[in-house]
């Protein structure tokens, strides 16, 4: 079992983009399921001690996932993923936004465009995440909210799920 899994987090302020390359010690079908099935997503999508709770999810092009990040004190931060493109086990794209519990967008907070590619190589699965923001101030706002730290913790949570299944 590999302990030194790739985690590369790069910010490009010229293109308003976050690029994350991440390796998982799991098969492509396992990793794909973890990113696309709400019961597994909810186990790792929020950075501990927060929890992810999916209210509704229709994983198809034109579908959406409405979910909350629920804090240890019960506070809720709602988000919406609008799926724009799905190529089974290779790529999924969505527009991510903050919203209320009914899915009404919060236009005060930035929306981001996610492009997530999956590839299996030498017993590991690599996930390549490109998150594009409309403007630099949106990118900087997300980073100030702790996106890098939170996403890193979430990725480690996904590692734990795969370790338990091994």
């Amino acid at each position: 079992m590999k302990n030194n899994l790739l985690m590369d987090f790069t910010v490009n302020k010229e293109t308003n983009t976050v690029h994350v390359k991440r390796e998982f010690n799991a098969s492509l079908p396992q990793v794909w399921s973890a990113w696309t099935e709400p019961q597994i997503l909810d186990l790792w999508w929020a950075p501990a001690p927060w929890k992810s709770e999916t209210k509704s999810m229709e994983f198809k092009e034109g579908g959406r996932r409405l979910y909350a990040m629920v804090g240890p004190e019960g506070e809720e931060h709602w988000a919406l993923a609008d799926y724009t493109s799905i190529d089974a086990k290779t790529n999924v794209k969505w527009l991510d936004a903050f919203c209320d519990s009914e899915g009404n967008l919060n236009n005060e907070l930035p929306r981001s465009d996610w492009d997530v590619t999956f590839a299996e190589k030498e017993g590991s699965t690599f996930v390549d995440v490109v998150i594009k923001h409309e403007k630099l101030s949106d990118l900087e706002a997300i980073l100030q909210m702790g996106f890098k730290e939170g996403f890193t913790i979430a990725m480690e949570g996904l590692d734990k799920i795969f370790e338990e299944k091994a």
Side-chain angles (χ1 to χ4, degrees):
M1 183 177 260
K2 264 175 112 170
N3 291 338
N4 57 338
L5 299 173
L6 173 70
M7 172 68 179
D8 182 34
F9 190 104
T10 307
V11 175
N12 184 332
K13 292 189 175 185
E14 290 178 14
T15 60
N16 308 326
T17 304
V18 171
H19 191 177
V20 180
K21 292 180 183 175
R22 187 62 160 78
E23 177 184 6
F24 294 99
N25 195 18
S27 71
L28 178 59
Q30 288 175 304
V31 176
W32 176 259
S33 292
W35 282 76
T36 61
E37 296 174 17
Q39 63 275 23
I40 305 172
L41 264 169
D42 282 345
L43 297 174
W44 69 271
W45 188 253
W50 289 69
K51 302 277 184 222
S52 172
E53 293 182 5
T54 298
K55 181 176 182 179
S56 62
M57 183 168 166
E58 194 174 11
F59 186 70
K60 66 175 191 172
E61 286 184 22
R64 59 179 18 182
R65 175 182 181 223
L66 176 61
Y67 63 97
M69 299 281 203
V70 181
E73 308 297 317
E75 62 272 42
E76 296 178 346
H77 295 283
W78 287 88
L80 183 67
D82 284 314
Y83 297 108
T84 57
S85 173
I86 298 170
D87 292 312
K89 294 190 178 71
T90 59
N91 181 269
V92 59
K93 296 177 183 171
W94 69 86
L95 292 173
D96 199 69
F98 295 96
C99 63
D100 66 16
S101 63
E102 300 306 311
N104 300 305
L105 297 188
N106 178 342
N107 294 317
E108 304 291 310
L109 294 169
R111 191 153 207 205
S112 53
D113 189 349
W114 289 60
D115 183 347
V116 185
T117 303
F118 302 81
E120 199 166 21
K121 185 177 171 186
E122 297 171 8
S124 293
T125 299
F126 292 83
V127 179
D128 195 347
V129 182
V130 178
I131 308 163
K132 180 121 176 77
H133 293 86
E134 196 173 300
K135 50 191 192 258
L136 180 58
S137 59
D138 291 350
L139 171 63
E140 289 175 337
I142 292 296
L143 293 171
Q144 284 189 328
M145 287 180 195
F147 178 76
K148 180 178 182 178
E149 298 79 7
F151 198 63
T152 300
I153 292 167
M155 295 289 96
E156 291 166 355
L158 184 49
D159 286 333
K160 288 186 179 106
I161 291 169
F162 295 137
E163 286 170 15
E164 290 167 6
K165 290 186 176 190

